[in-house]
Amino acid sequence: MTQAPATPKNGRRRHDREIIALAVPAFGALVAEPLFVMVDSAVVGHLGTPQLAGLGIAAALLMTAVSIFVFLAYATTAAVARRVGAGDLPAAIRQGMDGIWLALLLGAAVVALAMPTAPWLVDAFGASDTAAPYAITYLRISILGIPAMLVVLAATGVLRGLQDTRTPLYVAIAGFTANAVLNVTLVYGAGLGIAGSAWGTVIAQAGMAAAYLVVVIRGARKHGASLRPDAAGIRASARAGVPLLIRTLSLRAVLMIATAVAARLGDVDIAAHQIILSLWSLTAFALDAIAIAGQAIIGRYLGADDEKGAREACRRMVEWGIGCGVVLGVLIVLARPLFIPLFTSDPSVKDTLLPALLVVAVSQPIAGVVFVLDGVLMGAGDGRYLAWAMLVTLAVFAPVALLVPSLGGGLTALWWAMTLMMAVRLITLWLRTRSGRWIVTGATR
C-alpha cells in the first residue's frame, strides 16, 4: 500500500494538531500570572477605590520586576527545543538546570534591591496620598515571592522546550485555585486587607515553584543531567538572555509609562486602567499561547535542520493569531456587562473604563499577529532583532503617551497610544519574518 502524498491541506492539519496540543495546555499556564492579578483586583476592588488604585501601582511594579526576566522561560524554551530537535536530551535538560540556578540568583538580587526602595518606587509612579500606603504595603510583601516566580519561569521554559505544556497547566490550575482561596480567606476572613491579598499570592507562588522543581529534578535524574550549579553554564544562560532582557525592559517601560500617565490622570483613571490592564494581560497571554507553541515547534524544526517545516509552521500560526484575535475582540465587547461589576461598583470608574475597553477590543487582531511573530522569532533565537525592534517601538510610543495629559486626553486616548505601540511592533516583526533572516538551523544558533 503506497503512502498518500503530502498536500498543503495535510500539512496545515499536521501543524494544527501540533499547535493545539501545545497551545491549549500552554494557555492555562500563561494566564496564571494575570489571573493572579485579576483575583487580587476583584478582591481588593471591593475594599475601596484607593485600595484598588494602590494595587494597580504595586502590581505594575511587581510585574515589571518579574517580567523583565521572562527570558528565563522564553530563551530556555528555544534552546531546549533545539537540543530536542537535534536528539540531545541530556544537554537540553542540563541547559534548563542552568536557567533555574540563574533564576534563584536573580531573584535574590531583586529582593535585596527592591525591598528598601519600595516607597521611592511607589512615589515615582505619582501615587496619590490615599493610594500610596496601600501600594507600599502590597509591594513590600509581594517582593518576597519574586524568587519563586523566577524559578517558575525557568522551569516552565524547560518543560515547554521538552514539548510538555500539560504539566505547567496542572501547576497553574493548582496555583490559581490556591491564590483565590487564600486571597478571600486572608483579606476578609482574617481581616488583613490588602496585605492578605499580597500574602496569598506569595504563598501560592512558592507552592508552584516547589511543584516545578520536583518535576524538573526527576527529569534530570532520569536522563543523567547534573543538578549542581555550573558557573560557565549559568554565565552562558545569562549572556543568551541579554537581548531578550533588553526587549522585555523596553516592553515593560511601555507598560510603566502607561501606568504612570494613568496615575497622573487621577485615582479613578488609574483604578480603571488597572482593570483594563489586567484584562489586556489576560488576552495577551491567551494569544501568546500560540506563540509558546511556536517557540517549541520552531526551535524543534530548526534543531532538526527542517527549514521548510519551520516556515510552514510560522505561516499557520499567523493565521491562528488573526483568528483568535478577532474572537477575543468580540468576546470583550459582548462580555463587558458581566465582568466589569466584578472589579468595581464605583460609577465613575465604570464610565471611564468602558470606552477604553472598546479600544482594547478593536486592537486584538493586531495583538494576535504580534504575539505570534514574537514567539516565532524567540523560538528561532533571534533575540538581537527583537531587542532593536522593541527599542524602536518604545521610542515611538513614549512621546505620544506622555503628551496625553498635557493635551487634555483621558484614559481612552492613552489606550489609543497603546494600540499605536502594537501597530509599530506588527510592522517591525512582519518585516523580519518576511526577510527569512531569522532561519538558522542546527542544535545551537
Side-chain angles (χ1 to χ4, degrees), residues 15-199:
H15 290 307
D16 287 347
R17 287 194 295 268
E18 285 188 320
I19 293 168
I20 292 171
L22 291 171
V24 172
F27 171 78
L30 281 169
V31 301
E33 197 60 47
L35 281 176
F36 274 36
V37 177
M38 289 183 74
V39 168
D40 292 0
S41 299
V43 173
V44 172
H46 291 286
L47 293 175
T49 298
Q51 288 90 334
L52 183 58
L55 172 64
I57 294 169
L61 288 165
L62 182 66
M63 291 297 292
T64 298
V66 175
S67 297
I68 59 175
F69 300 115
V70 75
F71 71 84
L72 291 167
Y74 292 160
T76 302
T77 298
V80 171
R82 276 184 178 266
R83 297 283 189 179
V84 170
D88 193 354
L89 198 56
I93 297 177
R94 173 65 261 178
Q95 194 161 9
M97 289 302 304
D98 291 336
I100 291 174
W101 281 109
L102 178 61
L104 288 169
L105 293 174
L106 292 173
V110 172
V111 171
L113 290 172
M115 188 66 73
T117 59
W120 178 85
L121 292 170
V122 170
D123 183 65
F125 258 65
S128 67
D129 292 339
T130 55
Y134 298 110
I136 294 170
T137 297
Y138 188 92
L139 182 60
R140 276 184 164 162
I141 296 171
S142 296
I143 285 170
L144 299 175
I146 287 178
M149 295 179 190
L150 299 191
V151 168
V152 167
L153 287 176
T156 300
V158 177
L159 296 178
R160 290 174 184 164
L162 295 171
Q163 316 295 295
D164 175 13
T165 56
R166 291 184 178 271
T167 299
L169 170 62
Y170 301 145
V171 176
I173 291 173
F176 170 72
T177 303
N179 181 60
V181 172
L182 287 167
N183 261 263
V184 174
T185 302
L186 296 177
V187 171
Y188 297 112
L192 296 180
I194 196 170
S197 177
W199 279 118

Side-chain angles (χ1 to χ4, degrees), residues 362-382:
V362 170
S363 69
Q364 288 306 296
I366 297 174
V369 179
V370 167
F371 282 101
V372 166
L373 293 182
D374 205 39
V376 166
L377 296 184
M378 284 184 188
D382 200 11

Side-chain angles (χ1 to χ4, degrees), residues 229-246:
D230 177 69
I234 293 172
R235 286 195 299 270
S237 295
R239 284 194 299 269
V242 168
L244 289 180
L245 175 61
I246 295 171

Side-chain angles (χ1 to χ4, degrees), residues 314-366:
C314 174
R315 188 179 304 112
R316 189 56 177 162
M317 282 181 285
V318 168
E319 294 170 358
W320 273 75
I322 295 171
C324 290
V326 171
V327 171
L328 285 172
V330 172
L331 286 176
I332 289 173
V333 174
L334 296 179
R336 67 188 188 281
L338 299 176
F339 63 77
I340 291 178
L342 294 176
F343 295 100
T344 182
S345 56
D346 189 328
S348 299
V349 175
K350 290 181 179 180
D351 291 342
T352 303
L353 173 67
L354 186 56
L357 193 63
L358 295 177
V359 174
V360 174
V362 170
S363 69
Q364 288 306 296
I366 297 174

